[in-house]
Amino acid sequence: MDNIVPLLYLSILLVSLITLSVFIGRQIIERKEIENNLSVLQNKIRNNEANAEDYYELGSIYLSKKLFDQAILQFRYALQIWKNEDLEGISSLYNTIGFTYAETEQYELAIYYYKEALKNDDDYTVALNNLGYAYEKQRMISEALSAYRQVIEKEPDNETAASRIQILKRRIPKSG
C-alpha cells in the first residue's frame, strides 16, 4: 500500500509531461511549417514567380503574426493581379483586407472593403457580419442592424447576427 502512492504520483507526472511534450512538439512543428512557407513565399516574390494566391497566403501569414501593415501590402498586391472572373476569390480577398483594417481599428477603411466584397458577392454573409461589426464600432447602430438583418434574411440560423441584433435592439432608446 505504501508503494502505490509514489507510483501513482510518478504515473500522473509522467502522463502530464508526455501530454505537455506532445502539445509543445505540435506547436513547434506548426511554427516551423509556417516559417518554411514564409521563406518559400518570400523567395517566390523576390524571384518574380509569385501569383495572386502566393501574395494572399503571405498576407495571411503576416496577419496571423499580427503584422498588419505587411499583410495589407501583400493583400493589395494580390488584388492587383487577381483574376477578375474569380468573383468569390476577390470577395474573400476584399473581406480579408477589411478584416485586417478592422483589426487595426481603421473601421472606415474596413467598411469600404467589406462593401467591395459585397459588390462582388452580395450573398457573402461573413462580409455582411463583418460590416455590421464595423458599423457597430463606428456607433452606426441602424446601419449595423440593417447589415445583421440582411444576414438573417440569407441565413436564418446565423447565431452571430441574431445575437448582435438582440444586443443592438437593447441599445436603441425607445421613443415614447
Side-chain angles (χ1 to χ4, degrees):
M1 185 77 173
D2 289 337
N3 293 336
I4 202 159
V5 173
L7 185 61
L8 181 62
Y9 174 75
L10 287 174
S11 298
I12 291 172
L13 184 62
L14 182 63
V15 167
S16 298
L17 287 174
I18 290 171
T19 303
L20 186 61
S21 296
V22 167
F23 176 76
I24 291 172
R26 280 185 164 171
Q27 293 294 317
I28 290 170
I29 290 169
E30 286 176 17
R31 287 278 174 211
K32 184 147 179 58
E33 287 177 9
I34 289 171
E35 293 303 320
N36 285 341
N37 285 347
L38 182 63
S39 178
V40 166
L41 291 168
Q42 287 173 332
N43 284 335
K44 276 183 154 181
I45 290 170
R46 263 188 236 110
N47 296 330
N48 293 324
E49 299 170 354
N51 60 27
E53 289 82 9
D54 293 331
Y55 283 109
Y56 180 83
E57 189 176 342
L58 183 57
S60 296
I61 291 171
Y62 285 142
L63 181 59
S64 72
K65 291 175 167 274
K66 300 198 182 300
L67 300 170
F68 302 117
D69 291 337
Q70 291 94 327
I72 288 170
L73 186 63
Q74 299 309 314
F75 292 142
R76 285 189 176 164
Y77 286 140
L79 196 55
Q80 289 174 359
I81 60 175
W82 205 276
K83 295 177 189 136
N84 289 334
E85 60 272 5
D86 180 12
L87 296 180
E88 187 176 318
I90 289 174
S91 294
S92 177
L93 183 53
Y94 275 122
N95 182 63
T96 304
I97 296 171
F99 176 81
T100 307
Y101 277 118
E103 286 291 299
T104 61
E105 298 181 3
Q106 297 180 59
Y107 298 110
E108 300 87 7
L109 288 168
I111 289 168
Y112 169 80
Y113 281 101
Y114 294 143
K115 286 180 176 180
E116 289 298 312
L118 291 166
K119 282 181 187 175
N120 290 290
D121 182 358
D122 60 348
D123 289 330
Y124 194 11
T125 56
V126 173
L128 268 173
N129 264 332
N130 289 342
L131 180 61
Y133 175 78
Y135 280 140
E136 275 187 71
K137 290 298 189 176
Q138 290 293 100
R139 293 185 174 91
M140 301 168 76
I141 303 303
S142 62
E143 290 87 346
L145 273 170
S146 175
Y148 290 131
R149 286 182 178 134
Q150 288 177 50
V151 172
I152 294 297
E153 286 174 14
K154 296 169 189 317
E155 276 183 23
D157 296 332
N158 190 298
E159 293 178 20
T160 301
S163 68
R164 296 311 306 162
I165 287 171
Q166 293 305 315
I167 290 168
L168 291 174
K169 279 184 179 178
R170 284 186 235 135
R171 282 193 197 169
I172 298 174
K174 299 202 184 310
S175 58

